[in-house]
mmCIF file of all heavy atoms in Angstrom:
data_model
loop_
_atom_site.group_PDB
_atom_site.id
_atom_site.type_symbol
_atom_site.label_atom_id
_atom_site.label_comp_id
_atom_site.label_asym_id
_atom_site.label_seq_id
_atom_site.Cartn_x
_atom_site.Cartn_y
_atom_site.Cartn_z
ATOM 1 N N GLN A 29 -13.651 6.350 8.613
ATOM 2 C CA GLN A 29 -13.245 7.772 8.394
ATOM 3 C C GLN A 29 -12.549 7.715 7.004
ATOM 4 O O GLN A 29 -12.624 8.652 6.252
ATOM 5 C CB GLN A 29 -12.227 8.291 9.387
ATOM 6 C CG GLN A 29 -12.905 8.543 10.762
ATOM 7 C CD GLN A 29 -12.961 7.349 11.611
ATOM 8 O OE1 GLN A 29 -12.813 6.214 11.276
ATOM 9 N NE2 GLN A 29 -13.249 7.702 12.941
ATOM 10 N N ILE A 30 -11.847 6.658 6.655
ATOM 11 C CA ILE A 30 -11.076 6.497 5.427
ATOM 12 C C ILE A 30 -12.070 6.537 4.199
ATOM 13 O O ILE A 30 -11.865 6.978 3.160
ATOM 14 C CB ILE A 30 -10.158 5.370 5.367
ATOM 15 C CG1 ILE A 30 -9.016 5.641 6.351
ATOM 16 C CG2 ILE A 30 -9.624 5.113 3.996
ATOM 17 C CD1 ILE A 30 -8.116 4.443 6.674
ATOM 18 N N ASN A 31 -13.245 5.937 4.517
ATOM 19 C CA ASN A 31 -14.330 5.824 3.511
ATOM 20 C C ASN A 31 -14.848 7.116 3.055
ATOM 21 O O ASN A 31 -15.484 7.262 2.056
ATOM 22 C CB ASN A 31 -15.421 4.946 3.871
ATOM 23 C CG ASN A 31 -15.184 3.381 3.886
ATOM 24 O OD1 ASN A 31 -14.253 3.080 3.143
ATOM 25 N ND2 ASN A 31 -15.713 2.703 4.660
ATOM 26 N N HIS A 32 -14.579 8.178 3.851
ATOM 27 C CA HIS A 32 -14.960 9.591 3.300
ATOM 28 C C HIS A 32 -14.010 10.229 2.291
ATOM 29 O O HIS A 32 -14.279 11.194 1.818
ATOM 30 C CB HIS A 32 -15.048 10.471 4.577
ATOM 31 C CG HIS A 32 -16.081 10.055 5.578
ATOM 32 N ND1 HIS A 32 -17.489 10.197 5.225
ATOM 33 C CD2 HIS A 32 -16.059 9.548 6.735
ATOM 34 C CE1 HIS A 32 -18.128 9.683 6.263
ATOM 35 N NE2 HIS A 32 -17.387 9.345 7.249
ATOM 36 N N LEU A 33 -12.862 9.533 2.144
ATOM 37 C CA LEU A 33 -11.890 9.996 1.151
ATOM 38 C C LEU A 33 -12.421 9.678 -0.272
ATOM 39 O O LEU A 33 -13.130 8.628 -0.376
ATOM 40 C CB LEU A 33 -10.516 9.372 1.346
ATOM 41 C CG LEU A 33 -9.769 9.747 2.551
ATOM 42 C CD1 LEU A 33 -8.606 8.935 2.763
ATOM 43 C CD2 LEU A 33 -9.475 11.253 2.540
ATOM 44 N N PRO A 34 -11.962 10.317 -1.329
ATOM 45 C CA PRO A 34 -12.407 9.978 -2.678
ATOM 46 C C PRO A 34 -11.782 8.587 -3.004
ATOM 47 O O PRO A 34 -10.551 8.378 -2.694
ATOM 48 C CB PRO A 34 -11.889 11.180 -3.490
ATOM 49 C CG PRO A 34 -10.995 11.972 -2.635
ATOM 50 C CD PRO A 34 -11.194 11.583 -1.267
ATOM 51 N N SER A 35 -12.491 7.687 -3.667
ATOM 52 C CA SER A 35 -12.023 6.471 -4.094
ATOM 53 C C SER A 35 -11.164 5.762 -3.021
ATOM 54 O O SER A 35 -10.016 5.421 -3.253
ATOM 55 C CB SER A 35 -11.118 6.624 -5.389
ATOM 56 O OG SER A 35 -11.829 7.335 -6.416
ATOM 57 N N PRO A 36 -11.774 5.453 -1.890
ATOM 58 C CA PRO A 36 -11.037 4.845 -0.826
ATOM 59 C C PRO A 36 -10.453 3.443 -1.174
ATOM 60 O O PRO A 36 -9.450 3.091 -0.569
ATOM 61 C CB PRO A 36 -11.996 4.799 0.360
ATOM 62 C CG PRO A 36 -13.357 4.789 -0.251
ATOM 63 C CD PRO A 36 -13.162 5.598 -1.550
ATOM 64 N N ARG A 37 -11.256 2.694 -1.946
ATOM 65 C CA ARG A 37 -10.765 1.314 -2.372
ATOM 66 C C ARG A 37 -9.481 1.378 -3.129
ATOM 67 O O ARG A 37 -8.624 0.462 -2.905
ATOM 68 C CB ARG A 37 -11.910 0.563 -3.000
ATOM 69 C CG ARG A 37 -13.025 0.198 -2.065
ATOM 70 C CD ARG A 37 -14.035 -0.664 -2.773
ATOM 71 N NE ARG A 37 -15.091 -1.023 -1.742
ATOM 72 C CZ ARG A 37 -16.081 -1.909 -2.222
ATOM 73 N NH1 ARG A 37 -16.088 -2.311 -3.301
ATOM 74 N NH2 ARG A 37 -16.951 -2.189 -1.183
ATOM 75 N N LEU A 38 -9.465 2.321 -4.019
ATOM 76 C CA LEU A 38 -8.199 2.439 -4.849
ATOM 77 C C LEU A 38 -7.091 2.899 -4.066
ATOM 78 O O LEU A 38 -5.920 2.336 -4.199
ATOM 79 C CB LEU A 38 -8.505 3.413 -5.945
ATOM 80 C CG LEU A 38 -7.536 3.539 -7.092
ATOM 81 C CD1 LEU A 38 -7.443 2.125 -7.822
ATOM 82 C CD2 LEU A 38 -8.077 4.661 -8.108
ATOM 83 N N LEU A 39 -7.192 3.738 -3.184
ATOM 84 C CA LEU A 39 -6.157 4.147 -2.225
ATOM 85 C C LEU A 39 -5.678 3.003 -1.314
ATOM 86 O O LEU A 39 -4.519 2.808 -1.121
ATOM 87 C CB LEU A 39 -6.639 5.309 -1.306
ATOM 88 C CG LEU A 39 -5.470 5.969 -0.524
ATOM 89 C CD1 LEU A 39 -4.448 6.484 -1.508
ATOM 90 C CD2 LEU A 39 -6.197 7.092 0.236
ATOM 91 N N PHE A 40 -6.626 2.159 -0.813
ATOM 92 C CA PHE A 40 -6.421 1.096 0.036
ATOM 93 C C PHE A 40 -5.601 0.074 -0.801
ATOM 94 O O PHE A 40 -4.605 -0.682 -0.284
ATOM 95 C CB PHE A 40 -7.610 0.487 0.602
ATOM 96 C CG PHE A 40 -7.403 -0.636 1.603
ATOM 97 C CD1 PHE A 40 -6.750 -0.410 2.830
ATOM 98 C CD2 PHE A 40 -7.611 -1.982 1.294
ATOM 99 C CE1 PHE A 40 -6.444 -1.474 3.706
ATOM 100 C CE2 PHE A 40 -7.375 -2.984 2.143
ATOM 101 C CZ PHE A 40 -6.783 -2.734 3.387
ATOM 102 N N TRP A 82 -5.490 6.989 -8.471
ATOM 103 C CA TRP A 82 -6.244 7.659 -7.303
ATOM 104 C C TRP A 82 -6.172 9.169 -7.365
ATOM 105 O O TRP A 82 -7.027 9.910 -7.302
ATOM 106 C CB TRP A 82 -5.623 7.055 -5.925
ATOM 107 C CG TRP A 82 -6.452 7.735 -4.887
ATOM 108 C CD1 TRP A 82 -7.683 7.338 -4.328
ATOM 109 C CD2 TRP A 82 -5.991 8.836 -4.088
ATOM 110 N NE1 TRP A 82 -8.133 8.199 -3.264
ATOM 111 C CE2 TRP A 82 -7.059 9.055 -3.211
ATOM 112 C CE3 TRP A 82 -4.900 9.741 -4.020
ATOM 113 C CZ2 TRP A 82 -7.073 10.137 -2.255
ATOM 114 C CZ3 TRP A 82 -4.762 10.667 -3.183
ATOM 115 C CH2 TRP A 82 -5.840 10.995 -2.264
ATOM 116 N N CYS A 83 -4.853 9.733 -7.650
ATOM 117 C CA CYS A 83 -4.684 11.185 -7.808
ATOM 118 C C CYS A 83 -5.546 11.652 -8.949
ATOM 119 O O CYS A 83 -6.151 12.766 -8.726
ATOM 120 C CB CYS A 83 -3.193 11.444 -7.886
ATOM 121 S SG CYS A 83 -2.198 11.189 -6.427
ATOM 122 N N LEU A 85 -8.289 10.547 -10.121
ATOM 123 C CA LEU A 85 -9.798 10.553 -9.706
ATOM 124 C C LEU A 85 -9.963 11.592 -8.597
ATOM 125 O O LEU A 85 -10.992 12.279 -8.526
ATOM 126 C CB LEU A 85 -10.205 9.200 -9.216
ATOM 127 C CG LEU A 85 -10.336 8.099 -10.357
ATOM 128 C CD1 LEU A 85 -10.560 6.752 -9.702
ATOM 129 C CD2 LEU A 85 -11.437 8.465 -11.321
ATOM 130 N N ALA A 86 -9.234 11.536 -7.639
ATOM 131 C CA ALA A 86 -9.312 12.420 -6.374
ATOM 132 C C ALA A 86 -9.251 13.981 -6.806
ATOM 133 O O ALA A 86 -9.970 14.684 -6.246
ATOM 134 C CB ALA A 86 -8.286 12.131 -5.410
ATOM 135 N N PHE A 87 -8.517 14.263 -7.689
ATOM 136 C CA PHE A 87 -8.245 15.693 -8.048
ATOM 137 C C PHE A 87 -8.869 16.138 -9.266
ATOM 138 O O PHE A 87 -8.579 17.196 -9.958
ATOM 139 C CB PHE A 87 -6.779 16.037 -7.990
ATOM 140 C CG PHE A 87 -6.198 15.776 -6.649
ATOM 141 C CD1 PHE A 87 -5.190 14.752 -6.492
ATOM 142 C CD2 PHE A 87 -6.610 16.486 -5.507
ATOM 143 C CE1 PHE A 87 -4.672 14.514 -5.223
ATOM 144 C CE2 PHE A 87 -6.012 16.149 -4.265
ATOM 145 C CZ PHE A 87 -5.119 15.187 -4.143
ATOM 146 N N SER A 88 -9.752 15.283 -9.909
ATOM 147 C CA SER A 88 -10.314 15.575 -11.126
ATOM 148 C C SER A 88 -11.457 16.571 -10.912
ATOM 149 O O SER A 88 -11.971 16.810 -9.876
ATOM 150 C CB SER A 88 -10.995 14.341 -11.805
ATOM 151 O OG SER A 88 -12.083 13.913 -10.995
ATOM 152 N N HIS A 91 -14.810 15.211 -9.615
ATOM 153 C CA HIS A 91 -14.879 14.902 -8.173
ATOM 154 C C HIS A 91 -15.083 16.405 -7.477
ATOM 155 O O HIS A 91 -15.856 16.330 -6.509
ATOM 156 C CB HIS A 91 -13.688 14.239 -7.661
ATOM 157 C CG HIS A 91 -13.589 14.127 -6.182
ATOM 158 N ND1 HIS A 91 -14.559 13.311 -5.574
ATOM 159 C CD2 HIS A 91 -12.944 14.766 -5.256
ATOM 160 C CE1 HIS A 91 -14.238 13.288 -4.226
ATOM 161 N NE2 HIS A 91 -13.389 14.229 -4.088
ATOM 162 N N GLU A 92 -14.406 17.419 -7.803
ATOM 163 C CA GLU A 92 -14.629 18.606 -7.292
ATOM 164 C C GLU A 92 -15.988 19.181 -7.385
ATOM 165 O O GLU A 92 -16.596 19.620 -6.531
ATOM 166 C CB GLU A 92 -13.560 19.616 -7.821
ATOM 167 C CG GLU A 92 -12.042 19.351 -7.510
ATOM 168 C CD GLU A 92 -11.176 20.230 -8.162
ATOM 169 O OE1 GLU A 92 -11.559 21.279 -8.773
ATOM 170 O OE2 GLU A 92 -9.996 19.978 -8.089
ATOM 171 N N GLN A 94 -18.694 17.290 -7.588
ATOM 172 C CA GLN A 94 -19.523 16.530 -6.769
ATOM 173 C C GLN A 94 -19.330 16.858 -5.332
ATOM 174 O O GLN A 94 -20.331 16.912 -4.529
ATOM 175 C CB GLN A 94 -19.173 14.924 -6.921
ATOM 176 C CG GLN A 94 -19.472 14.382 -8.093
ATOM 177 C CD GLN A 94 -19.101 12.881 -8.230
ATOM 178 O OE1 GLN A 94 -18.255 12.444 -7.439
ATOM 179 N NE2 GLN A 94 -19.402 12.224 -9.245
ATOM 180 N N THR A 95 -18.168 17.321 -4.939
ATOM 181 C CA THR A 95 -17.907 17.812 -3.647
ATOM 182 C C THR A 95 -18.609 19.121 -3.397
ATOM 183 O O THR A 95 -19.153 19.334 -2.381
ATOM 184 C CB THR A 95 -16.400 17.937 -3.278
ATOM 185 O OG1 THR A 95 -15.790 16.612 -3.525
ATOM 186 C CG2 THR A 95 -16.182 18.325 -1.871
#
Side-chain angles (χ1 to χ4, degrees):
Q29 290 86 345
I30 292 168
N31 284 334
H32 295 292
L33 294 172
S35 305
R37 289 184 178 185
L38 192 57
L39 189 58
F40 184 72
W82 181 81
C83 287
L85 290 172
F87 301 114
S88 69
H91 174 72
E92 290 174 11
Q94 291 173 351
T95 304

